[in-house]
Amino acid sequence: MNVDGKHFRTVWMEAGTVRMINQPLLPHRFEIVDLPSYQHTAVSIRDMTVRGAGAIGATAGFAMAQAALAARDQRFHADMAEAAAVIEATRPTAQNLFYATRRVLRAIQAQGSDVPRAREAAVATAHEIADDDAACCEAIGSHGEPLIPQGARISTHCNAGWLAFVDWGSAISPIYAAHRAGKEPFVWVDETKPRGQGARLTAWELLQEGVPHAVICDNATGHYMKSGQIDMVIVGSDRIAANGDVANKIGTYSSAVVAKANGIPFYVAAPTTTIDPDCPHGDQIPIEERDQDEVRCTWGWTDEGQFTRVRTTPEGSPARNPAFDVTPAEYIAGIITEKGVVPASAQGIASVARTG
Ligand code: MRU
């Protein structure tokens, strides 16, 4: 994607250093962060310097490659198992993270005791994971674009655009394709409290691409659905269960229920790397609970140019902060994958799920 005319990916690796866009600083500042070791890279996933299912997956793959470059010859496989455990402990809901660590581990194991070749395989596999992610998202755009009518007013939640992946995005990729095809889509971008991925990131991306949109507060979505100003919904996903239930950013479930009540089609867009074939039902998807201060406080820039945190709740009030919720398959009109649009059902999921 282009930032002021220059093409960027969300995350990449150069000579053993992981480089990524520093997402918490957006939209006010565009900065690239350099991470020299897998431990630094794991922290960047946990603290959400990088976030979004596909971007987390690619970052996890690169972290595994960094671990392979640093692992000791005599303890190579033990060091890699330890690194995988550290990386997997960062964000429990994002299926792409586990997909990536396990794909790199399989590539390493295939080299047996040949450590130099295992290192090479880890690095090559990490780059493949990132390239696959970008290619899948581009294909999601092609498959999703025909679902979008001319002039459609589309609601989305959180950020499932290119910042949530290596490039293109999932939910926003069909919107970019429709925009480029001259269909003039309009996007309702909800803020997505507490971290504001909609207001900060989706709005910024759409602005970069020149896609007309408006930011609304989270609790306005139902009003616009009921008053006939939303034609369809497209959201992303962090994990899809084998029965078609979908985990996505907290608030997705409410949007899906209100969409159904108003006869509005509700689509989920995700690469098949987000499917967890070992998770039979949405109730079994682990839901990450983040620090309560993300709800109690907010970050912003002072007039003096300092990035600072202020508290908005009473000091004594505790908060709860589930990062995701689960939308049952019955609310979903279809799942847009890189292989095509499938029903949110066990059969639909099985028709596109990866085996390895
Ligand atoms: O907590 P995040 O920002 O990593 O959450 C991910 C998301 O942005 C959304 O849930 C998104 O819709 C799916 S990830 C592409």
Side-chain angles (χ1 to χ4, degrees):
M1 280 292 153
N2 291 326
V3 181
D4 298 333
K6 191 168 173 213
H7 181 263
F8 276 92
R9 282 186 163 190
T10 304
V11 57
W12 66 99
M13 189 168 83
E14 279 171 23
T17 296
V18 173
R19 311 197 70 202
M20 60 176 60
I21 296 172
N22 190 342
Q23 298 199 30
L25 299 187
L26 287 171
H28 303 292
R29 203 166 282 187
F30 183 81
E31 266 180 30
I32 305 301
V33 190
D34 286 354
L35 303 157
S37 71
Y38 89 80
Q39 290 91 343
H40 289 88
T41 305
V43 170
S44 77
I45 299 173
R46 184 192 298 279
D47 72 11
M48 295 177 68
T49 304
V50 64
R51 34 65 51 202
I56 291 171
T59 305
F62 287 137
M64 289 291 285
Q66 288 180 307
L69 293 172
R72 296 162 289 184
D73 281 3
Q74 310 77 352
R75 282 185 43 87
F76 185 79
H77 290 284
D79 282 356
M80 288 308 296
E82 199 178 304
V86 169
I87 296 161
E88 289 182 355
T90 53
R91 302 274 327 257
T93 305
Q95 170 63 12
N96 293 62
L97 187 156
F98 301 91
Y99 169 81
T101 53
R102 288 163 200 177
R103 183 164 159 184
V104 175
L105 282 177
R106 278 199 307 275
I108 285 171
Q109 277 149 11
Q111 309 310 319
S113 55
D114 189 336
V115 170
R117 284 194 57 183
R119 283 200 181 93
E120 278 170 29
V123 173
T125 305
H127 285 292
E128 276 165 29
I129 291 168
D131 291 346
D132 275 3
D133 185 77
C136 285
C137 287
E138 190 171 3
I140 285 170
S142 308
H143 290 298
E145 184 272 324
L147 298 170
I148 299 178
Q150 182 73 34
R153 297 155 304 170
I154 305 163
S155 164
T156 191
H157 183 53
C158 196
N159 172 261
W162 65 272
L163 286 165
F165 290 85
V166 172
D167 208 344
W168 293 100
S170 58
I172 309 295
S173 185
I175 298 174
Y176 289 141
H179 176 69
R180 289 177 189 199
K183 286 185 167 177
E184 300 182 340
F186 173 87
V187 187
W188 292 106
V189 178
D190 68 13
E191 283 178 289
T192 319
K193 294 280 188 176
R195 293 189 64 107
Q197 290 96 327
R200 295 189 304 103
L201 306 178
T202 303
W204 182 76
E205 279 192 25
L206 294 173
L207 211 53
Q208 293 289 325
E209 286 286 317
V211 179
H213 62 280
V215 179
I216 54 175
C217 61
D218 293 323
N219 25 14
T221 304
H223 163 72
Y224 285 112
M225 286 185 178
K226 187 163 179 293
S227 57
Q229 296 181 69
I230 293 177
D231 301 307
M232 64 192 300
V233 183
I234 315 180
V235 298
S237 173
D238 298 273
R239 191 182 296 226
I240 300 175
N243 70 342
D245 292 350
V246 164
N248 193 48
K249 182 53 59 192
I250 191 78
T252 302
Y253 170 61
S254 331
S255 171
V257 171
V258 182
K260 186 157 187 166
N262 287 280
I264 298 167
F266 185 96
Y267 289 98
V268 172
T272 55
T273 45
T274 303
I275 296 171
D276 180 357
D278 299 326
C279 180
H281 192 279
D283 287 352
Q284 282 142 315
I285 296 176
I287 300 295
E288 175 181 5
E289 173 110 16
R290 294 188 61 83
D291 194 302
Q292 58 174 329
D293 276 352
E294 290 185 351
V295 175
R296 287 158 38 94
C297 306
T298 194
W299 286 87
W301 296 87
T302 66
D303 288 346
E304 289 71 42
Q306 268 183 330
F307 193 49
T308 193
R309 193 176 92 156
V310 293
R311 188 164 40 76
T312 54
T313 60
E315 198 165 3
S317 294
R320 293 294 304 271
N321 188 16
F324 304 99
D325 60 25
V326 173
T327 299
E330 67 199 80
Y331 291 97
I332 300 167
I335 300 186
I336 309 165
T337 75
E338 77 277 13
K339 298 179 183 172
V341 184
V342 297
S345 63
Q347 213 180 2
I349 297 300
S351 70
V352 290
R354 297 187 183 210
T355 45

